[in-house]
Amino acid sequence: MKKTSTRLADGRELIYYDLRDDQVREAVDHRPLERTVTTSEIRRDPLLGDSIAVASHRQGRIYHPPADECPLCPSRDGRLSEIPDSSYDVVVFENRFPSLAGDSGRCEVVCFTSDHNASFADLDEEQAALVLEAWTDRTSELSHLPSVEQVFCFENRGAEIGVTLGHPHGQIYAYPFITPRTALMLRSLAAHKEAAGGENLFDAVLERELAGERVVLEGEHWAAFVPYAAHWPYEVHLYPRRRVPDLLALDEAARTEFPKVYLELLRRFDRIFGENEPPTPYISAWHQAPFGALEDFEGVNRDDFALHLELFTIRRTSGKLKFLAGSESGMSVFINDVPPERAAERLREVAS
């Protein structure tokens, strides 16, 4: 992998990740852009104890442009985009309309391929491995920013999810706090460790799931299952068999196997509802240990956390979506329409 860092016309950082070590990146962003001005602000809810970002400048972000005006395609034929070069393998750049900025963190866009009509599932294993390298490198770099406590790599896919740009891409959020979801896991981890004589909760969950009926697929270094208490109609958790806290800690064997396993999962998701259905909308989310202090979670350290990927869709059956209504949105009590055992069975049925 070759990494080349440059700057866009408004000062934002852009990084090319190339498969070839001899690739030269010298294209200049000639757009007449003014410096990006953001108004991101973090506010803490005194009742719930969580934090939200207020980012009014995002109202002006690009919304469902036609394919020939996509800002994530390379700059070609006189049309200038967010990527100055005429081609790329993988590219990462600072979001022009970030939810988090400055002392409030950082938001980046990850373009998986220059092919506008592709999806992550269409990538070959070499390209998917390059995306993994980009995720890992950005996790490392962002973790060293003074304001950052947690790094979150994710992909939103599909208009039903709320995606406004059709080009295959994901995002990275670098939060200035430990997110509520991760805090819940850390509290459960600490409580279990104390109650179970030091046993690691993630290890116990993985062992139990792999001995049960909700396993979707297994590799030598990775395993995927539908969790016992899945929140979403079709939800899969992908774990490395050797517990590590973050992407940086994956060994070479796990990195080598990941593309094959992950691409198979994504391709199965697209077959859940039948060959004639549109591509399955999904969210794919990496859970990594925070880089900030963990003094609020007594007895827990970073190495107790288990890196894992959560992949789920809001489509519950052909032509029907799972909406978060009163119980889910009002009380955070999910109601799942698809039994996790049936979801796992279906995901095994649609294997390649």
Side-chain angles (χ1 to χ4, degrees):
M1 179 194 79
K2 181 180 180 181
K3 175 183 174 183
T4 306
S5 180
T6 185
R7 292 283 171 179
L8 296 173
D10 55 7
R12 289 175 294 132
E13 184 179 19
L14 180 143
I15 306 160
Y16 295 98
Y17 293 90
D18 286 298
L19 292 168
R20 288 174 41 190
D21 290 335
D22 61 350
Q23 182 68 59
V24 177
R25 299 294 185 184
E26 297 178 338
V28 176
D29 184 7
H30 293 290
R31 295 174 297 170
L33 298 180
E34 297 181 357
R35 285 273 173 175
T36 300
V37 178
T38 63
T39 56
S40 179
E41 176 188 359
I42 300 299
R43 297 186 181 183
R44 186 168 179 80
D45 186 321
L47 294 180
L48 297 180
D50 59 9
S51 299
I52 64 115
V54 179
S56 59
H57 62 278
R58 285 173 51 81
Q59 289 281 29
R61 65 189 187 273
I62 298 170
Y63 187 80
H64 291 300
D68 60 356
E69 296 180 15
C70 175
L72 306 185
C73 289
S75 293
R76 293 174 181 163
D77 304 322
R79 190 187 69 82
L80 303 180
S81 73
E82 288 280 68
I83 297 91
D85 218 326
S86 59
S87 66
Y88 64 84
D89 291 335
V90 173
V91 70
V92 177
F93 60 88
E94 289 184 75
N95 197 320
R96 190 177 176 188
F97 303 97
S99 303
L100 310 166
D103 292 339
S104 297
R106 176 158 158 152
C107 293
E108 298 182 340
V109 177
V110 184
C111 298
F112 304 139
T113 171
S114 60
D115 184 354
H116 180 86
N117 297 313
S119 68
F120 202 118
D122 295 323
L123 304 183
D124 60 26
E125 291 185 21
E126 184 180 38
Q127 185 77 7
L130 184 61
V131 176
L132 176 62
E133 288 300 310
W135 282 332
T136 304
D137 181 69
R138 296 315 301 155
T139 296
S140 175
E141 293 292 328
L142 293 170
S143 72
H144 289 96
L145 296 179
S147 64
V148 172
E149 291 197 33
Q150 185 172 348
V151 179
F152 175 46
C153 306
F154 65 100
E155 180 192 2
N156 298 327
R157 193 261 196 127
E160 300 94 330
I161 295 293
V163 174
T164 57
L165 297 175
H167 196 103
H169 72 288
Q171 299 182 65
I172 302 175
Y173 278 21
Y175 297 101
F177 52 80
I178 296 175
T179 62
R181 186 79 179 277
T182 302
L184 284 173
M185 284 189 270
L186 290 169
R187 283 196 285 272
S188 297
L189 185 63
H192 184 86
K193 188 174 184 179
E194 181 179 6
E199 181 185 56
N200 184 278
L201 178 58
F202 287 107
D203 292 350
V205 167
L206 181 59
E207 181 180 1
R208 184 182 69 221
E209 292 289 3
L210 292 184
E213 59 182 316
R214 291 178 298 275
V215 175
V216 174
L217 65 84
E218 297 184 73
E220 183 178 354
H221 304 284
W222 294 86
F225 57 87
V226 176
Y228 171 74
H231 289 55
W232 299 96
Y234 291 90
E235 175 184 334
V236 174
H237 291 192
L238 176 63
Y239 277 69
R241 290 182 179 273
R242 182 179 70 88
R243 172 165 45 89
V244 295
D246 52 40
L247 290 167
L248 304 173
L250 286 173
D251 60 25
E252 193 58 36
R255 292 184 181 280
T256 299
E257 186 180 72
F258 172 77
K260 179 180 180 179
V261 174
Y262 185 49
L263 289 171
E264 173 63 17
L265 274 181
L266 293 180
R267 290 162 185 168
R268 290 191 193 188
F269 257 59
D270 273 345
R271 292 193 290 268
I272 292 173
F273 305 104
E275 297 294 334
N276 296 323
E277 287 291 312
T280 302
Y282 64 74
I283 291 176
S284 176
W286 280 110
H287 293 275
Q288 304 192 78
F291 291 93
L294 299 180
E295 62 265 16
D296 291 339
F297 311 98
E298 188 175 351
V300 170
N301 57 56
R302 290 194 80 250
D303 289 336
D304 290 323
F305 195 88
L307 168 76
H308 60 285
L309 183 141
E310 181 181 359
L311 176 67
F312 65 88
T313 180
I314 62 171
R315 186 179 291 164
R316 57 188 174 89
T317 189
S318 179
K320 297 180 181 179
L321 300 180
K322 166 66 176 177
F323 291 101
L324 300 190
S327 184
E328 292 90 353
S329 295
M331 284 290 138
S332 293
V333 178
F334 275 68
I335 301 169
N336 194 346
D337 304 287
V338 180
E341 293 73 23
R342 174 54 190 150
E345 181 182 21
R346 178 58 181 161
L347 285 162
R348 291 192 297 269
E349 289 174 351
V350 295
S352 298

